[in-house]
Amino acid sequence: MAGGSFGPTGVAKERAEQYQGKVTSYVIIACLVAAIGGAIFGYDIGVSGGVTSMDEFLEEFFKTVYDKKKQAHESNYCKYDDQGLAAFTSSLYLAGLVATLAASPITRNYGRRASIVCGGISFLVGAALNAGAVNLPMLLAGRILLGVGIGFGNQAVPLYLSEVAPTHLRGGLNMMFQLATTLGIFTANMVNYGTQKLKPWGWRLSLGLAAFPALLMALGGYLLPETPNSLVERGLTERGRRVLEKLRGTQNVDAELQDMVDASELANSIKHPFRNILQKQHRPQLVMAICMPMFQILTGINSILFYAPVLFQTMGFGGNASLYSSALTGAVLVLSTLISIALVDKLGRRALLISGGIQMIICQAIVSVILGVKFGDNQELSKGYSVVVVIFICLFVVAFGWSWGPLGWTIPSEIFPLEIRSAGQSITVAVNLLFTFIIAQAFLSMLCAFKFGIFLFFAGWVLVMTVFVYFLLPETKGVPIEEMTLLWKKHWFWKKVLPAVNLVEAEGNNI
């Protein structure tokens, strides 16, 4: 791979072939503990849909929805259409959007661990408030604190994982965040399946159990080592070297450490990373930081994961059957993420994203056709067609689980130079949470308006994002994180966008 100077960003030379080290138990343990932040995110995604389908919860806080649900003449697609109920789910993500922007300077100036600990504590308090809620304001206050926790955790954890992982396994280890997210979703679905039988307080247990992963995240964040990149960036080079030697299992870390030192010198010269990220030389990374998380949500996956029990009940499944079906989709998501972890550093990011996109389009189109032909107002799907719908929803979830699910987080976390890395990750998380909020708030109304066409709406977006990846996303497999900036000058499109002076300098310094 050609190297050289790349203007005012990145490292001067490629030293990847000089990197040494192995996968140590230190790396594995650090990644496992850090990824608990994903479990918190996943648990909340999974628990929200199950709780909002429980009659006792609806009767307590959303009496209008409860009454509407009991009316036999209500349209199948519109029985849950209530902005207050949607706000219960979406308020968390709006709070997370604001929190992740506040987390960026903390992550940069005080380290990745500080943000992970702050996120765990906030989520712990929010879970306690939700479990003990006696009115809607108390319930929403708990959700907002949960959102603050997710904002901090999602900002810091993917960065942490990218920075401690060896280059050749960065994709797989970074996906520990997504694996933990899927395990959190599956756990929440199983908890909901059990607690819906504990009337009338089962929903409190579902919401309160979120405190367990939050406690683990706070304690784990306190015990974790700081990343070498963060230590070097804050002037603690010798400490950073010691941590890097432990992570790599060797004292021969000069090349990797030098890359970090070079990057940190530039990073410390940048006083306004959010302003710097808007400069032309960072245009490709900024586009990815916006488009990757936006597309991840526009697959429609969160609609299925948030509202799986509601969605299956809408299709005519009984209460137990709907929770069982949503638990099945959660289990499928976990298994498909394991597939992605195994393949991402072998096949690469692009192959997984494109193949996953094609499968998601096919599955969404088939589900839409079945519902359009066989399912109308006040009707239930036959048992045979119900099974087919669940199968294709599971196949959709499988495709998401090996593609946009983990890679929507992995790619943005690995492409930014150090000087704007925390700002870039904040933008990624903010965009993700903004679109999560929009879809969470609008989905029940969209379901009522679009009916079966909701699946075609999301399929159209998956087509757009698959084309986007094919033409505009270079392969990042095997590229050291500190040398990622050198990738863009070789891409057929982005080399035309980057400042001409940088390209001339880069070509003139090839090694």
Side-chain angles (χ1 to χ4, degrees), residues 349-371:
R349 282 64 160 156
R350 281 168 49 87
L352 294 180
L353 287 170
I354 292 170
S355 61
I358 292 170
Q359 183 168 319
M360 283 191 283
I361 292 169
I362 294 171
C363 292
Q364 286 172 313
I366 291 174
V367 170
S368 182
V369 169
I370 291 174
L371 295 182

PDB file of all heavy atoms in Angstrom, residues 349-371:
ATOM      1  N   ARG A 349     -15.232  -5.657   4.793  1.00  0.00           N
ATOM      2  CA  ARG A 349     -16.459  -4.947   5.164  1.00  0.00           C
ATOM      3  C   ARG A 349     -17.439  -4.843   3.992  1.00  0.00           C
ATOM      4  O   ARG A 349     -18.649  -5.029   4.140  1.00  0.00           O
ATOM      5  CB  ARG A 349     -16.123  -3.530   5.637  1.00  0.00           C
ATOM      6  CG  ARG A 349     -15.583  -3.399   7.060  1.00  0.00           C
ATOM      7  CD  ARG A 349     -14.270  -4.056   7.289  1.00  0.00           C
ATOM      8  NE  ARG A 349     -13.569  -3.539   8.465  1.00  0.00           N
ATOM      9  CZ  ARG A 349     -12.660  -4.217   9.124  1.00  0.00           C
ATOM     10  NH1 ARG A 349     -12.338  -5.464   8.758  1.00  0.00           N
ATOM     11  NH2 ARG A 349     -12.046  -3.685  10.160  1.00  0.00           N
ATOM     12  N   ARG A 350     -16.919  -4.532   2.797  1.00  0.00           N
ATOM     13  CA  ARG A 350     -17.783  -4.282   1.647  1.00  0.00           C
ATOM     14  C   ARG A 350     -18.597  -5.520   1.262  1.00  0.00           C
ATOM     15  O   ARG A 350     -19.795  -5.427   0.977  1.00  0.00           O
ATOM     16  CB  ARG A 350     -16.941  -3.823   0.445  1.00  0.00           C
ATOM     17  CG  ARG A 350     -16.536  -2.371   0.484  1.00  0.00           C
ATOM     18  CD  ARG A 350     -15.469  -2.057  -0.565  1.00  0.00           C
ATOM     19  NE  ARG A 350     -15.843  -2.580  -1.873  1.00  0.00           N
ATOM     20  CZ  ARG A 350     -16.587  -1.933  -2.763  1.00  0.00           C
ATOM     21  NH1 ARG A 350     -17.051  -0.726  -2.465  1.00  0.00           N
ATOM     22  NH2 ARG A 350     -16.875  -2.462  -3.931  1.00  0.00           N
ATOM     23  N   ALA A 351     -17.972  -6.675   1.246  1.00  0.00           N
ATOM     24  CA  ALA A 351     -18.674  -7.895   0.843  1.00  0.00           C
ATOM     25  C   ALA A 351     -19.849  -8.185   1.780  1.00  0.00           C
ATOM     26  O   ALA A 351     -20.938  -8.569   1.327  1.00  0.00           O
ATOM     27  CB  ALA A 351     -17.706  -9.079   0.836  1.00  0.00           C
ATOM     28  N   LEU A 352     -19.651  -7.988   3.062  1.00  0.00           N
ATOM     29  CA  LEU A 352     -20.725  -8.248   4.027  1.00  0.00           C
ATOM     30  C   LEU A 352     -21.852  -7.235   3.877  1.00  0.00           C
ATOM     31  O   LEU A 352     -23.034  -7.592   3.925  1.00  0.00           O
ATOM     32  CB  LEU A 352     -20.167  -8.227   5.451  1.00  0.00           C
ATOM     33  CG  LEU A 352     -19.171  -9.334   5.808  1.00  0.00           C
ATOM     34  CD1 LEU A 352     -18.706  -9.177   7.259  1.00  0.00           C
ATOM     35  CD2 LEU A 352     -19.778 -10.720   5.606  1.00  0.00           C
ATOM     36  N   LEU A 353     -21.508  -5.970   3.688  1.00  0.00           N
ATOM     37  CA  LEU A 353     -22.534  -4.935   3.560  1.00  0.00           C
ATOM     38  C   LEU A 353     -23.380  -5.131   2.304  1.00  0.00           C
ATOM     39  O   LEU A 353     -24.608  -4.998   2.336  1.00  0.00           O
ATOM     40  CB  LEU A 353     -21.881  -3.552   3.529  1.00  0.00           C
ATOM     41  CG  LEU A 353     -21.324  -3.030   4.865  1.00  0.00           C
ATOM     42  CD1 LEU A 353     -20.500  -1.776   4.643  1.00  0.00           C
ATOM     43  CD2 LEU A 353     -22.445  -2.762   5.861  1.00  0.00           C
ATOM     44  N   ILE A 354     -22.745  -5.449   1.188  1.00  0.00           N
ATOM     45  CA  ILE A 354     -23.476  -5.592  -0.074  1.00  0.00           C
ATOM     46  C   ILE A 354     -24.346  -6.843  -0.063  1.00  0.00           C
ATOM     47  O   ILE A 354     -25.528  -6.798  -0.430  1.00  0.00           O
ATOM     48  CB  ILE A 354     -22.492  -5.608  -1.257  1.00  0.00           C
ATOM     49  CG1 ILE A 354     -21.844  -4.221  -1.407  1.00  0.00           C
ATOM     50  CG2 ILE A 354     -23.207  -5.998  -2.550  1.00  0.00           C
ATOM     51  CD1 ILE A 354     -20.690  -4.180  -2.389  1.00  0.00           C
ATOM     52  N   SER A 355     -23.797  -7.975   0.379  1.00  0.00           N
ATOM     53  CA  SER A 355     -24.596  -9.213   0.415  1.00  0.00           C
ATOM     54  C   SER A 355     -25.741  -9.097   1.413  1.00  0.00           C
ATOM     55  O   SER A 355     -26.868  -9.544   1.149  1.00  0.00           O
ATOM     56  CB  SER A 355     -23.703 -10.410   0.769  1.00  0.00           C
ATOM     57  OG  SER A 355     -23.122 -10.238   2.056  1.00  0.00           O
ATOM     58  N   GLY A 356     -25.471  -8.466   2.557  1.00  0.00           N
ATOM     59  CA  GLY A 356     -26.535  -8.267   3.543  1.00  0.00           C
ATOM     60  C   GLY A 356     -27.636  -7.371   3.013  1.00  0.00           C
ATOM     61  O   GLY A 356     -28.827  -7.623   3.234  1.00  0.00           O
ATOM     62  N   GLY A 357     -27.262  -6.310   2.284  1.00  0.00           N
ATOM     63  CA  GLY A 357     -28.255  -5.402   1.715  1.00  0.00           C
ATOM     64  C   GLY A 357     -29.174  -6.093   0.730  1.00  0.00           C
ATOM     65  O   GLY A 357     -30.393  -5.912   0.762  1.00  0.00           O
ATOM     66  N   ILE A 358     -28.600  -6.920  -0.142  1.00  0.00           N
ATOM     67  CA  ILE A 358     -29.409  -7.635  -1.134  1.00  0.00           C
ATOM     68  C   ILE A 358     -30.407  -8.560  -0.444  1.00  0.00           C
ATOM     69  O   ILE A 358     -31.595  -8.623  -0.805  1.00  0.00           O
ATOM     70  CB  ILE A 358     -28.495  -8.429  -2.091  1.00  0.00           C
ATOM     71  CG1 ILE A 358     -27.679  -7.454  -2.957  1.00  0.00           C
ATOM     72  CG2 ILE A 358     -29.318  -9.360  -2.974  1.00  0.00           C
ATOM     73  CD1 ILE A 358     -26.587  -8.115  -3.769  1.00  0.00           C
ATOM     74  N   GLN A 359     -29.953  -9.289   0.581  1.00  0.00           N
ATOM     75  CA  GLN A 359     -30.855 -10.211   1.288  1.00  0.00           C
ATOM     76  C   GLN A 359     -31.962  -9.458   2.020  1.00  0.00           C
ATOM     77  O   GLN A 359     -33.118  -9.892   2.026  1.00  0.00           O
ATOM     78  CB  GLN A 359     -30.066 -11.072   2.269  1.00  0.00           C
ATOM     79  CG  GLN A 359     -30.935 -12.102   2.988  1.00  0.00           C
ATOM     80  CD  GLN A 359     -30.104 -13.139   3.736  1.00  0.00           C
ATOM     81  OE1 GLN A 359     -29.087 -13.610   3.247  1.00  0.00           O
ATOM     82  NE2 GLN A 359     -30.545 -13.501   4.941  1.00  0.00           N
ATOM     83  N   MET A 360     -31.632  -8.311   2.611  1.00  0.00           N
ATOM     84  CA  MET A 360     -32.654  -7.536   3.323  1.00  0.00           C
ATOM     85  C   MET A 360     -33.730  -7.022   2.369  1.00  0.00           C
ATOM     86  O   MET A 360     -34.923  -7.031   2.703  1.00  0.00           O
ATOM     87  CB  MET A 360     -31.998  -6.366   4.071  1.00  0.00           C
ATOM     88  CG  MET A 360     -31.305  -6.771   5.354  1.00  0.00           C
ATOM     89  SD  MET A 360     -30.805  -5.349   6.376  1.00  0.00           S
ATOM     90  CE  MET A 360     -29.362  -4.802   5.496  1.00  0.00           C
ATOM     91  N   ILE A 361     -33.328  -6.560   1.182  1.00  0.00           N
ATOM     92  CA  ILE A 361     -34.299  -6.069   0.200  1.00  0.00           C
ATOM     93  C   ILE A 361     -35.281  -7.179  -0.182  1.00  0.00           C
ATOM     94  O   ILE A 361     -36.503  -6.976  -0.214  1.00  0.00           O
ATOM     95  CB  ILE A 361     -33.572  -5.552  -1.058  1.00  0.00           C
ATOM     96  CG1 ILE A 361     -32.771  -4.288  -0.722  1.00  0.00           C
ATOM     97  CG2 ILE A 361     -34.568  -5.252  -2.181  1.00  0.00           C
ATOM     98  CD1 ILE A 361     -31.814  -3.868  -1.816  1.00  0.00           C
ATOM     99  N   ILE A 362     -34.753  -8.363  -0.467  1.00  0.00           N
ATOM    100  CA  ILE A 362     -35.599  -9.495  -0.874  1.00  0.00           C
ATOM    101  C   ILE A 362     -36.583  -9.858   0.236  1.00  0.00           C
ATOM    102  O   ILE A 362     -37.787 -10.039  -0.010  1.00  0.00           O
ATOM    103  CB  ILE A 362     -34.724 -10.714  -1.242  1.00  0.00           C
ATOM    104  CG1 ILE A 362     -33.899 -10.408  -2.506  1.00  0.00           C
ATOM    105  CG2 ILE A 362     -35.586 -11.956  -1.457  1.00  0.00           C
ATOM    106  CD1 ILE A 362     -32.849 -11.450  -2.822  1.00  0.00           C
ATOM    107  N   CYS A 363     -36.089  -9.940   1.467  1.00  0.00           N
ATOM    108  CA  CYS A 363     -36.951 -10.333   2.590  1.00  0.00           C
ATOM    109  C   CYS A 363     -38.054  -9.307   2.848  1.00  0.00           C
ATOM    110  O   CYS A 363     -39.215  -9.673   3.078  1.00  0.00           O
ATOM    111  CB  CYS A 363     -36.108 -10.532   3.855  1.00  0.00           C
ATOM    112  SG  CYS A 363     -35.005 -11.945   3.776  1.00  0.00           S
ATOM    113  N   GLN A 364     -37.709  -8.024   2.823  1.00  0.00           N
ATOM    114  CA  GLN A 364     -38.712  -6.987   3.068  1.00  0.00           C
ATOM    115  C   GLN A 364     -39.778  -6.969   1.975  1.00  0.00           C
ATOM    116  O   GLN A 364     -40.964  -6.776   2.254  1.00  0.00           O
ATOM    117  CB  GLN A 364     -38.030  -5.625   3.181  1.00  0.00           C
ATOM    118  CG  GLN A 364     -37.271  -5.447   4.494  1.00  0.00           C
ATOM    119  CD  GLN A 364     -36.440  -4.182   4.506  1.00  0.00           C
ATOM    120  OE1 GLN A 364     -35.725  -3.889   3.560  1.00  0.00           O
ATOM    121  NE2 GLN A 364     -36.512  -3.434   5.593  1.00  0.00           N
ATOM    122  N   ALA A 365     -39.365  -7.195   0.744  1.00  0.00           N
ATOM    123  CA  ALA A 365     -40.332  -7.215  -0.363  1.00  0.00           C
ATOM    124  C   ALA A 365     -41.308  -8.378  -0.202  1.00  0.00           C
ATOM    125  O   ALA A 365     -42.523  -8.230  -0.409  1.00  0.00           O
ATOM    126  CB  ALA A 365     -39.584  -7.313  -1.695  1.00  0.00           C
ATOM    127  N   ILE A 366     -40.804  -9.555   0.181  1.00  0.00           N
ATOM    128  CA  ILE A 366     -41.661 -10.735   0.340  1.00  0.00           C
ATOM    129  C   ILE A 366     -42.658 -10.532   1.483  1.00  0.00           C
ATOM    130  O   ILE A 366     -43.858 -10.832   1.348  1.00  0.00           O
ATOM    131  CB  ILE A 366     -40.800 -11.993   0.570  1.00  0.00           C
ATOM    132  CG1 ILE A 366     -40.044 -12.341  -0.723  1.00  0.00           C
ATOM    133  CG2 ILE A 366     -41.670 -13.174   1.019  1.00  0.00           C
ATOM    134  CD1 ILE A 366     -39.052 -13.469  -0.571  1.00  0.00           C
ATOM    135  N   VAL A 367     -42.185 -10.000   2.622  1.00  0.00           N
ATOM    136  CA  VAL A 367     -43.082  -9.756   3.759  1.00  0.00           C
ATOM    137  C   VAL A 367     -44.166  -8.757   3.368  1.00  0.00           C
ATOM    138  O   VAL A 367     -45.351  -8.938   3.701  1.00  0.00           O
ATOM    139  CB  VAL A 367     -42.284  -9.247   4.981  1.00  0.00           C
ATOM    140  CG1 VAL A 367     -43.235  -8.757   6.075  1.00  0.00           C
ATOM    141  CG2 VAL A 367     -41.392 -10.355   5.535  1.00  0.00           C
ATOM    142  N   SER A 368     -43.786  -7.718   2.657  1.00  0.00           N
ATOM    143  CA  SER A 368     -44.751  -6.705   2.235  1.00  0.00           C
ATOM    144  C   SER A 368     -45.831  -7.305   1.328  1.00  0.00           C
ATOM    145  O   SER A 368     -47.026  -7.013   1.485  1.00  0.00           O
ATOM    146  CB  SER A 368     -44.030  -5.566   1.505  1.00  0.00           C
ATOM    147  OG  SER A 368     -44.947  -4.565   1.132  1.00  0.00           O
ATOM    148  N   VAL A 369     -45.415  -8.161   0.395  1.00  0.00           N
ATOM    149  CA  VAL A 369     -46.377  -8.779  -0.527  1.00  0.00           C
ATOM    150  C   VAL A 369     -47.342  -9.686   0.230  1.00  0.00           C
ATOM    151  O   VAL A 369     -48.569  -9.655   0.007  1.00  0.00           O
ATOM    152  CB  VAL A 369     -45.632  -9.574  -1.626  1.00  0.00           C
ATOM    153  CG1 VAL A 369     -46.609 -10.442  -2.410  1.00  0.00           C
ATOM    154  CG2 VAL A 369     -44.905  -8.623  -2.565  1.00  0.00           C
ATOM    155  N   ILE A 370     -46.825 -10.492   1.152  1.00  0.00           N
ATOM    156  CA  ILE A 370     -47.689 -11.398   1.927  1.00  0.00           C
ATOM    157  C   ILE A 370     -48.718 -10.608   2.725  1.00  0.00           C
ATOM    158  O   ILE A 370     -49.921 -10.929   2.726  1.00  0.00           O
ATOM    159  CB  ILE A 370     -46.845 -12.288   2.865  1.00  0.00           C
ATOM    160  CG1 ILE A 370     -46.017 -13.282   2.048  1.00  0.00           C
ATOM    161  CG2 ILE A 370     -47.745 -13.043   3.848  1.00  0.00           C
ATOM    162  CD1 ILE A 370     -45.054 -14.093   2.884  1.00  0.00           C
ATOM    163  N   LEU A 371     -48.251  -9.547   3.418  1.00  0.00           N
ATOM    164  CA  LEU A 371     -49.186  -8.753   4.226  1.00  0.00           C
ATOM    165  C   LEU A 371     -50.182  -8.011   3.334  1.00  0.00           C
ATOM    166  O   LEU A 371     -51.353  -7.870   3.687  1.00  0.00           O
ATOM    167  CB  LEU A 371     -48.405  -7.757   5.088  1.00  0.00           C
ATOM    168  CG  LEU A 371     -47.495  -8.354   6.165  1.00  0.00           C
ATOM    169  CD1 LEU A 371     -46.833  -7.246   6.973  1.00  0.00           C
ATOM    170  CD2 LEU A 371     -48.264  -9.284   7.088  1.00  0.00           C
TER     171      LEU A 371
END
